[in-house]
Amino acid sequence: MKNKKSSPFPFGATLYDDGCNFSIHSPDNIVSLIIFTDSENQEYKLKTHDQIVYYTFIPNITSGTQYGFKTIDNDGHSRLLLDPYSHSLSKPLQYNSPLDTEQSWTLSKSIVVDHNFDWENDTAPNHPIEKTILFELHIKGFTQQCPHIAPQYQGKYLGLCQPDIIQFFKQQNITTLQLLPITSFVTESHLKENNLTNFWGYNSVCFMAPHPNYAEKDAVNELKHMVRELHKNDIEVILDVVFNHTAEGDHNGPCFHLKALDKNYYLHNNPQQYMNYTGCGNTLDLTHQASFTLVLDTLRHWVNEYHIDGFRFDLATTLGRDHENFSPHSGFFMAIAQDPILQKVKLIAEPWDIGPNGYQLGNYPDNWHECNDKFRDITKSYWLQQPNFAKNFATQLMGSRDIFSASRWPQKLPVNFISYHDGFTLQDLVSYNDKHNEANGENNRDGHSDNRSNNHGVEGDTNNTAIILLRDKQKRNLMISLLFSFGIPHLLAVDSLSHSQQGNNNAYCQDNPISWADWNLSHINDVFKQWLADIIAIRQQIMPDVIRAFSNENRNKNKITWSNANGTQITPAQWLNIDHFSLHIDLFNHDGELLYLINATDTSLTFNLPKSTKWSMVCDTSTQNIIVKDVNVSYIQHPHSLSVLYRAN
């Protein structure tokens, strides 16, 4: 069918007033277009000039039209494929293994989308990176049990922008939501066999299509509505994206689209097996132009059509690989750096995968902020296990400058965190010594065993008041260490509610109350929620200016002093056995001073304070209250606690 709008580009379904252009990259198979109607399915042959890209323009196609691409396998059977560029799916994608050609015709279909939407003059919040507070959450899990929103919105996109939920975000003083994957994904067959679900969503099918399960009716418009309302309240939205692999798995896995369309979408050992740098069966090859184009087009799509503010890249080392070799100068990084749309958004890397030399912390280019697992492990060890980690902990407080040079701040601040979606929640870190993943159906073999946690005498829940109070104090120690370190604080949203996963540190398949935020707070947990909100607000008044002072041309003129409790400076030899210290930061040109008093011992210590004038107390983790008082000359720091003091000159 000839039409002046018939074109090989852009890929996917592009809607016009008088019809729709369809285009697909398919060098391995000749494909035809299938349009689904109420009466009968219509098949259209596609044009091609190079036997690589197939395309056509069909008049009178409207938004909501369902379509797919048909190919014939070696046995002469016809298979229906999803469009890799699908902007929407007709229903949640489910299949029974093995996914044969006959079943392929019963699955979800691709949908033509009209992206017109009233954004009401939406403006991105664009928070400076030094003022960014990340709040990681799961769309469904965070609101599924929330009693403050109507049942039809619980667990949905629209649930995240209901007035009471937005008010909660604002009360907690966070700036940025980091959402677990919301692109279309599918549950693996081995989970279905055990009546489990891929809850987290790290098993992508169509990178541009919002997951339909989180919509009441229309995933595209409801997600846009969510982003618009969050932006109105000065809250950014970052997506966790998975471009390192697809849901098609290894050579035994299902075929949804890419496997049939182009074998070079993947890295191959041989024609029978895919390279597996991800642990998920296959690895997307970004040295292949079609894969590279798909990923870049997808990122621009989310920014242009959904006004997304940034991305967190799962197993990002894979994206910077030229087969086995990682490079910060790879085509992927260079393309984003020069892209006028993508260069403006926030970029966060999970800086590892499981391939050769996969751990690349600190090696990403400027404007890429990396998840700092060193901060997580060392900070947990210092407070919860207390081997001789004081020197390493001190390094983490100062921004892990052994890995992230201050000369590259703020365009390369580390993303510091204590808890993430994988691993223990904050409450479980102080309540369990061991993981308890039996519900996952793998005999507790899955999940990390190196949790660096401490149950403080009882495994799990307890009525022992002393243990409850000690756990609460340790939570405050961990949060103050996070919020007053140099970096971008990343908080797990359910930690503000002191949510427990019952010791499960790998709840990826638990679509149930194990993963759903518990909004019924005990008194002590309600007090912690308010304490955390207050301390974040104080952090926002102090730390951005301090970070900026270490990020400009005068950064080396700031004075840093490490001392014992008696006020004498710590020698290199003393760091080997020290169990307490103070950190005094005196900013250049009398722009302010910050003082940390850190006592990991079993006894109270009297710290002699620098100078003889008054300090303002920011917090003391030995109490649930935010202390507002001036301190002079000395201060008694209770066991296993820390204080932060400040003076504005």
Side-chain angles (χ1 to χ4, degrees):
M1 182 172 293
K2 296 182 179 180
N3 188 287
K4 63 180 181 180
K5 291 180 179 175
S6 180
S7 170
F9 301 105
F11 291 124
T14 305
L15 191 64
Y16 296 93
D17 290 339
D18 54 347
C20 187
N21 190 78
F22 297 88
S23 177
I24 189 167
H25 173 94
S26 182
D28 289 343
N29 279 295
I30 297 174
V31 295
S32 57
L33 173 69
I34 305 295
I35 298 294
F36 295 91
T37 66
D38 293 335
S39 55
E40 60 179 354
N41 301 337
Q42 299 173 342
E43 183 172 354
Y44 299 88
K45 291 184 178 181
L46 303 179
K47 297 190 300 182
T48 180
H49 298 311
D50 53 14
Q51 286 72 54
I52 294 176
V53 178
Y54 292 81
Y55 60 96
T56 192
F57 181 90
I58 307 295
N60 302 318
I61 295 293
T62 58
S63 177
T65 299
Q66 296 185 19
Y67 72 99
F69 292 97
K70 172 186 169 183
T71 186
I72 307 296
D73 67 14
N74 293 332
D75 297 322
H77 299 134
S78 64
R79 178 181 292 273
L80 183 70
L81 304 176
L82 288 166
D83 182 357
Y85 276 72
S86 296
H87 291 185
S88 182
L89 298 183
S90 62
K91 62 182 179 180
L93 183 62
Q94 299 176 341
Y95 74 99
N96 295 316
S97 185
L99 175 54
D100 57 22
T101 54
E102 182 178 357
Q103 187 186 170
S104 73
W105 289 85
T106 69
L107 302 183
S108 178
K109 310 298 189 295
S110 300
I111 295 182
V112 175
V113 173
D114 180 355
H115 278 287
N116 285 327
F117 180 78
D118 184 3
W119 281 100
E120 299 179 2
N121 298 315
D122 175 63
T123 302
N126 198 26
H127 293 293
I129 200 66
E130 66 271 17
K131 298 190 76 170
T132 299
I133 305 287
L134 297 171
F135 214 45
E136 184 192 30
L137 58 81
H138 187 283
I139 283 281
K140 179 177 182 180
F142 194 67
T143 63
Q144 181 66 26
Q145 297 188 117
C146 181
H148 309 303
I149 59 178
Q152 68 265 31
Y153 299 135
Q154 290 175 337
K156 306 297 184 182
Y157 297 116
L158 295 179
L160 211 60
C161 63
Q162 294 304 298
D164 283 350
I165 294 295
I166 288 181
Q167 185 61 27
F168 173 81
F169 294 146
K170 294 173 74 69
Q171 287 172 345
Q172 294 303 119
N173 294 301
I174 58 93
T175 67
T176 307
L177 300 185
Q178 181 177 304
L179 306 181
L180 267 69
I182 63 168
T183 59
S184 59
F185 60 87
V186 65
T187 291
E188 299 90 328
S189 58
H190 74 274
L191 290 178
K192 290 184 63 177
E193 291 169 2
N194 291 323
N195 295 316
L196 297 171
T197 300
N198 186 320
F199 180 63
W200 286 351
Y202 292 92
N203 201 36
S204 302
V205 178
C206 296
F207 296 144
M208 299 185 188
H211 195 53
N213 297 61
Y214 303 148
E216 186 183 15
K217 296 178 181 178
D218 181 344
V220 171
N221 282 319
E222 290 172 31
L223 178 56
K224 291 179 180 181
H225 180 92
M226 182 199 82
V227 174
R228 184 187 68 192
E229 297 308 303
L230 289 168
H231 278 185
K232 285 181 181 178
N233 288 276
D234 208 30
I235 299 171
E236 295 176 316
V237 179
I238 286 178
L239 300 188
D240 194 333
V241 288
V242 186
F243 296 125
N244 52 76
H245 75 283
T246 76
E248 294 184 294
D250 60 18
H251 63 285
N252 292 318
C255 174
F256 297 118
H257 40 42
L258 300 187
K259 280 183 176 179
L261 295 171
D262 186 352
K263 64 180 181 296
N264 290 320
Y265 269 102
Y266 300 106
L267 304 178
H268 289 266
N269 275 331
N270 55 59
Q272 303 302 318
Q273 184 173 346
Y274 302 119
M275 292 295 288
N276 185 14
Y277 297 151
T278 66
C280 300
N282 63 62
T283 303
L284 206 64
D285 180 6
L286 292 199
T287 67
H288 182 48
Q289 184 63 56
S291 305
F292 185 85
T293 300
L294 173 60
V295 171
L296 270 292
D297 286 350
T298 297
L299 294 173
R300 283 188 290 266
H301 174 77
W302 286 110
V303 176
N304 287 334
E305 301 297 346
Y306 292 89
H307 295 198
I308 295 301
D309 302 289
F311 303 94
R312 181 264 190 190
F313 294 83
D314 181 64
L315 299 182
T317 293
T318 297
L319 307 181
R321 285 187 182 276
D322 182 353
H323 294 78
E324 288 194 354
N325 301 311
F326 172 85
S327 172
H329 308 296
S330 73
F332 176 69
F333 296 131
M334 302 291 276
I336 287 182
Q338 64 78 44
D339 190 289
I341 295 171
L342 300 179
Q343 65 185 203
K344 299 175 183 178
V345 302
K346 290 181 167 69
L347 303 169
I348 299 171
E350 183 182 38
W352 50 75
D353 63 16
I354 66 170
N357 299 312
Y359 189 74
Q360 293 291 335
L361 182 69
N363 294 331
Y364 282 68
D366 284 351
N367 294 316
W368 281 78
H369 307 283
E370 303 171 40
C371 301
N372 185 6
D373 63 323
K374 295 294 187 185
F375 179 93
R376 174 199 64 192
D377 292 345
I378 290 170
T379 303
K380 290 193 300 186
S381 292
Y382 183 76
W383 287 113
L384 301 180
Q385 297 190 333
Q386 295 181 17
N388 187 24
F389 268 85
K391 181 179 179 180
N392 290 333
F393 176 54
T395 300
Q396 301 310 309
L397 280 178
M398 286 303 301
S400 308
R401 291 193 296 175
D402 56 331
I403 300 172
F404 301 95
S405 171
S407 65
R408 300 173 72 184
W409 294 354
Q411 69 268 24
K412 192 169 173 56
L413 278 173
V415 176
N416 293 336
F417 63 99
I418 299 296
S419 46
Y420 228 85
H421 63 269
D422 52 347
F424 279 151
T425 65
L426 181 65
Q427 186 65 40
D428 286 354
L429 274 175
V430 299
S431 304
Y432 292 90
N433 284 347
D434 303 302
K435 64 182 181 180
H436 296 270
N437 297 354
E438 290 81 7
N440 295 355
E442 299 181 42
N443 296 315
N444 207 32
R445 293 190 301 267
D446 63 303
H448 227 305
S449 295
D450 183 20
N451 293 296
R452 309 193 186 198
S453 58
N454 191 331
N455 68 17
H456 298 94
V458 175
E459 189 76 349
D461 291 338
T462 180
N463 293 322
N464 186 308
T465 301
I467 293 177
I468 292 172
L469 292 176
L470 178 56
R471 289 175 175 178
D472 199 50
K473 180 171 69 172
Q474 291 285 46
K475 287 159 58 178
R476 292 193 295 273
N477 286 334
L478 292 166
M479 288 295 98
I480 291 297
S481 301
L482 171 65
L483 291 166
F484 286 86
S485 63
F486 284 70
I488 305 164
H490 170 286
L491 292 87
L492 191 60
V494 295
D495 286 348
S496 61
L497 304 173
S498 298
H499 177 74
S500 171
Q501 293 181 168
Q502 303 169 29
N504 192 319
N505 74 349
N506 189 35
Y508 76 102
C509 55
Q510 299 299 323
D511 187 3
N512 54 54
I514 290 176
S515 298
W516 299 344
D518 184 357
W519 291 80
N520 296 313
L521 304 187
S522 65
H523 174 72
I524 194 170
N525 290 341
D526 191 51
V527 170
F528 177 79
K529 175 175 71 72
Q530 187 57 54
W531 174 89
L532 183 59
D534 292 341
I535 208 65
I536 291 174
I538 296 172
R539 184 266 181 198
Q540 294 294 73
Q541 296 171 16
I542 295 173
M543 287 305 295
D545 288 340
V546 177
I547 291 173
R548 280 192 291 267
F550 277 82
S551 306
N552 60 37
E553 66 277 6
N554 293 318
R555 64 182 179 274
N556 293 322
K557 297 178 183 179
N558 301 310
K559 186 177 180 181
I560 303 171
T561 306
W562 307 92
S563 302
N564 293 309
N566 62 15
T568 61
Q569 291 191 30
I570 300 171
T571 66
Q574 288 173 325
W575 277 113
L576 299 177
N577 297 300
I578 201 166
D579 52 11
H580 73 277
F581 61 89
S582 72
L583 165 60
H584 178 207
I585 298 173
D586 189 357
L587 300 181
F588 172 68
N589 203 27
H590 306 293
D591 280 342
E593 297 178 70
L594 198 57
L595 180 65
Y596 302 70
L597 309 178
I598 299 173
N599 180 13
T601 74
D602 296 326
T603 60
S604 295
L605 294 175
T606 300
F607 280 82
N608 293 327
L609 307 184
K611 303 182 180 179
S612 58
T613 54
K614 292 180 180 178
W615 288 86
S616 296
M617 175 63 67
V618 173
C619 71
D620 183 341
T621 62
S622 65
T623 175
Q624 297 173 324
N625 301 316
I626 301 293
I627 300 174
V628 181
K629 67 175 182 180
D630 292 335
V631 181
N632 190 11
V633 182
S634 64
Y635 187 75
I636 297 175
Q637 192 64 50
H638 294 289
H640 305 292
S641 67
L642 78 156
S643 290
V644 178
L645 300 89
Y646 182 69
R647 183 168 63 196
N649 289 333

